[in-house]
Amino acid sequence: MIPLLWRSSLRYHSTRPWQLLLAILGITLGVAVVTAVDLANESARRAFALSVEATAGKATHQIGAGETTLPESLYLELRLGGLRPSAPVVEGYLSVSGRSFRLLGIDPFAEAPFRNYLEIAGGGRSDLAALLTRPGAVLMAAETAEALQLERGAHFSARVGGRVRLLELAGFLPATDLVERRAQEGLLVADIATTQELLGLQGRLSRIDLILPDADPRSLAQIEAGLPPGVRVERAAARVEVMEQMTRAFSINLTALSLLALVVGMFLIYNTMTFSVIQRRPLIGTLRALGTSQAEIFRLVGTEALMLGVIGTALGLLLGMGLAGVLVRLVTRTINDLYFVLDVTGVFLTPLSLLKGVALGLAATLIAALKPALDATRTPPRQVMSRSFLETHYRQGALHSGAVGLLLLLFGALLLALPGDSLMVGFAALAAFIFGFAFAVPQITLVLMGALQQLVGQRAGFLLRLAVRGLSASVSRTGIAIAALSVAIAATIGMGIMIDSFRQTVAQWLEHYLQADIYISALDDPAVTPLPEHLVSTVRQAPGVHHVSTYWQVEVDSDVGPIELAVLQLAPESDRGYHFKSGERQRAVRQFHEGALLVSEPFAFHHRVEVGDHIELLTPKGSRSFPVAGIFYHYGTSRGTVQMARAVYLRHWREAEVSSLGVYVEPESDVEQVVNGLRRALEQEALEIRSNRGLREASLQIFDRTFAITAVLRLLAMLIAFVGVISALMALQLERSREFGILRATGMTPAELWRMVTAQTGLMGLTAGLLAIPLGLVLALVLILVINRRAFGWSLLVEIPPGVVFEGVLLAIVAALLAGLVPARRMAATPPAEALREE
């Protein structure tokens, strides 16, 4: 009997190749999206880890002071005190041909135990001499030099700290394997003196590397006891851990959105397998009557699903690897905009990411096929062959499914009501809403079609009446397609509302926060690249300038870990830029100038800080406690920021740079004229001089770039739903071929049949679009008020633009009409005799 079953299976699928291909395509797309996102996230993490490993070498620990530099004299004291092996390092960033590079300055005489960069490939001592004696001499990876079309000894321009400097390629970095080559892609190595000169850090060090293989807490404490205040010893791997912590919420959000595409793909698999069982119900009933066991039928349907899953998953992995190349650029760009400088030039293919794709693809396929397989085995043979029993059974099942959906919706609401800020609980609630709604869609569709049938009555044309009755009568075949499309459209509406709400929130914040008329910063890494000292006085004395605010960002140690401290010298007009969540503005600003701190909302959320609390900061003079005067809204970084007045900072720290200026023009002066005057006066400097409006526009462009990957995931989820609708409608064509043959035989013209089928597909799209609105609104509220809040600590406005909702409904209708175009034409072109012919 088994060979007969397999022959029947092969014959069934061979006569419906498009349905089979569409099912495989749905699985392929779902697996591809999940795999691509995971590979992109993992590639960004691995690129940063390799970059850190490449610069740290064999160092186990590092001595540093956050983003504050160390004096060279400290290294000399430690060496004379016997702390070896140890090596000084100066580190910074520069850009070549628009590409960011990490610049690593090393001491050749202390370097051997840590890194092998002085084993210069092919050049020997001559290249080492060039590195030590020639101005601007650097080493880079051979692959990087080839990409930049540089040869040994070539000179090239680099932008360093806002200035253009001339560098020389003294040689190539040695690499023994692919991992080392990947780690060196974004790295330039120079002598420490050259690096100090390029970065303007003469006499200063970024850190001191140590090799302490057997270090214990007691020995580390002894080392730290001999260090100046504010200087600490940390593990070399700690920087990777900080990176992972900073980007964790971003990665989780992308993964969750990619899983949504897989969920939509699961509906497609379920749809395909359900149709497969429904269309073969007479054959299955005959086989059951002839003695085929339930287990054999179950194995047949399950094996078919597994084969589809294997093929779709394999293709999905291949497509995912290709798609990851696109997504990794979007992920990297977002990380560069929001977190730190990162250069990722390729995709890291990790076995774990591929195994995740395999596991999810096969698990989703088997779970989706479980119910159709059980339905094929549990129903008695005579009832399997009865179409009326099938629809009656499905309507009863739809009622039960609706009850399950209601319970899931209530469960999702209960999860949101639980105390705590768990991000995973928020995503669990989101999944409960999606699945609960999907379970309820068939019953809701039945109710809507029944109401529409009563509404049209005898007043509408017979084609519309037939279309409505056909949808109501065949809800077992169209209910899942409507559910899949409505979930995809709801995701589109929900993410669209979330993005628009976020954008409106940021736009309003920028308008309120950016009070200065003109902003000046370095072209490269404007947050931390210091401006020349003379530039500040030049700007203050420029014609038309009324007041100037200064900004400098530094990382300091605190009782809650390393924090970003913004050092500000505020102009009188700057006070208006603060919009406080907690704390009265005038009082908070006054206390700020007197020595208190202002913290951003994300910082307060992540560290559970309230107004009146104190934060311990580690200063060169020891630990100092600073009160929190206010919590202000800020959307520049999800990590959070702490602000301190510049005068207060200088009382506790030895130095403070200036990285950007906010310029307020005199009331009678024209802003554009002042901008042009500053550009002429500072034309020798590599500066970004922008008006208030220009900076707002540039900030919103960064925002749009940040959400570009979300838009891509929206389109991919919509594509999967579109494939699902095509699959459902093509299966519907085959299932109803006899019905349409009878209509043609009784006088319905091909054009009338085409219009009737098109009306049905349009109704399916309209129903899915209307049903998607409430779910889309719920998803948007959860994303805005729960997920973003718990992930990033931001409070966002809720903006529901009618255009997003209308576009979602229109998208559902258009998708359904386009998906039904080919099946409708094929139905209308099929001769009645062929449609009525028995197999």
Side-chain angles (χ1 to χ4, degrees), residues 106 108 115-132 137-142 152 169-175 184 189-191:
I106 58 176
R115 288 160 285 262
N116 66 340
Y117 294 145
L118 299 184
E119 299 173 8
I120 304 174
R125 293 184 177 275
S126 61
D127 283 345
L128 178 58
L131 186 70
L132 295 174
V138 298
L139 308 176
M140 70 170 59
R152 190 192 306 272
L169 180 57
F172 303 117
L173 296 172
Q184 297 169 1
V189 176
D191 174 58

Side-chain angles (χ1 to χ4, degrees), residues 238-249:
R239 297 172 69 187
V240 178
E241 296 171 0
V242 170
M243 174 267 183
E244 291 177 344
Q245 182 180 3
M246 290 171 62
T247 59
R248 175 177 174 270

